[in-house]
Amino acid sequence: MDLGLAGKWALVCAASKGLGRGCAEALVREGVNVTITARGEEALQATAAALRALNPAVQVRAVAGDITTPEGRAQALAACPQVDILVNNAGGPPPGDFRSWDREAWIAALDANMLTPIELIKATVDGMAERGFGRVVNITSGAVKAPIDVLGLSNGARSGLTGFVAGLARQSRLAGRNVTLNNLLPGAFDTDRLRKTMQAGAAKSGLAAEEMADRRRQAIPAQRFGSAEEFGAICAFMCSAHAGYLTGQNILLDGGAYPGTF
Ligand code: NAD
């Protein structure tokens, strides 16, 4: 299927590794020019080189910086001639007990996982509407549907973003101009983040890391973790010319782990 995206420009945030990188790769394969961001210059440039090798016909720009800061966002936006596709992503907040989180911890989580995507949406959607095409995909978490106790900062901040996007996506000045906003909710995906979380969990429980990973896999009906590549493929479809009637939705990718009917 031709996704109808060749020649578009995408800003893919936090994309040197993991799910963000998976989204950038899938878009580049479809002929989309990308601006990718991440904090660490070295990994970012290596990913940019890999993306150029994947499709030499596209332009790939790499901007090192913290997307959760106003400067990081301004630099990322300045490097993208126009944003037709915005993939919002950033690192997730740390786990813990809410009794130990002060106002600063909450503000940091809200900044990273709620206000940063909202600022980037604000900077880009009206231009998308003027041009008659726009796609926003926010990488959130399965924790929005089924909260994870120790990830209270994530549950809270991402639910705030989800509620905001649900309202905005239904503005006819956006939906009526072929601008869609959706959230993509990862369950367990085989990335650095998942490996680090499992190592921390294993150290705490006294289990070997591989034993911990096996138990986690067995609890997923698909019996495996997802890959960044398959995450990226769904993201690219949500950005495609065919997905113009899909807006304000939360698409859960979790190998069947969420037990509910809806
Ligand atoms: P990852 O650690 O593998 O990759 C994160 C990427 O984001 C890296 O490229 C890193 O450089 C970049 N990054 C982090 N903070 C940044 C910032 N402030 N500014 C710019 N770049 C930044 O993580 P991942 O597994 O790909 O996770 C991506 C998002 O999805 C996270 O918010 C995570 O909490 C969430 N998530 C992941 C899973 C999973 O199983 N992997 C499950 C649920 C939710």
Side-chain angles (χ1 to χ4, degrees), residues 134-154:
R135 301 285 184 258
V136 177
V137 175
N138 303 303
I139 300 180
T140 63
S141 172
V144 171
K145 258 182 97 83
I148 301 166
D149 176 31
V150 294
L151 292 178
L153 290 168
S154 171

Side-chain angles (χ1 to χ4, degrees), residues 35-171:
T35 297
I36 57 168
T37 84
R39 281 172 304 190
E41 178 85 46
E42 204 178 317
L44 182 68
Q45 292 303 342
T47 299
L51 291 173
R52 289 183 193 110
L54 207 56
N55 186 351
V58 305
Q59 290 188 56
V60 177
R61 298 184 184 173
V63 181
D66 185 340
I67 200 70
T68 69
T69 64
E71 305 75 47
R73 289 191 290 276
Q75 284 164 358
L77 289 166
C80 211
Q82 71 183 46
V83 181
D84 303 308
I85 295 167
L86 169 64
V87 179
N88 274 315
N89 187 30
D97 186 312
F98 94 100
R99 291 165 189 82
S100 63
W101 296 329
D102 55 14
R103 181 177 164 75
E104 247 171 65
W106 275 106
I107 297 296
L110 291 171
D111 258 342
N113 300 111
M114 179 180 173
L115 301 177
T116 289
I118 292 174
E119 287 290 341
L120 289 170
I121 289 168
K122 184 170 142 192
T124 54
V125 284
D126 291 334
M128 293 175 181
E130 271 164 34
R131 296 188 297 273
F133 178 92
R135 301 285 184 258
V136 177
V137 175
N138 303 303
I139 300 180
T140 63
S141 172
V144 171
K145 258 182 97 83
I148 301 166
D149 176 31
V150 294
L151 292 178
L153 290 168
S154 171
N155 301 337
R158 295 188 202 274
S159 294
L161 175 65
T162 304
F164 168 76
V165 167
L168 185 67
R170 289 164 173 89
Q171 281 191 358

Side-chain angles (χ1 to χ4, degrees), residues 14 16-19 38-39 66-67 89-92 158 186-187 189 191 193:
S16 68
K17 296 179 191 164
L19 305 179
R39 281 172 304 190
D66 185 340
I67 200 70
N89 187 30
R158 295 188 202 274
F189 277 79
T191 65
R193 162 128 177 137

Side-chain angles (χ1 to χ4, degrees), residues 165-191:
V165 167
L168 185 67
R170 289 164 173 89
Q171 281 191 358
S172 54
R173 60 189 280 195
L174 297 178
R177 297 285 302 149
N178 192 21
V179 177
T180 69
L181 295 99
N182 294 289
N183 306 312
L184 193 44
L185 285 54
F189 277 79
D190 191 8
T191 65

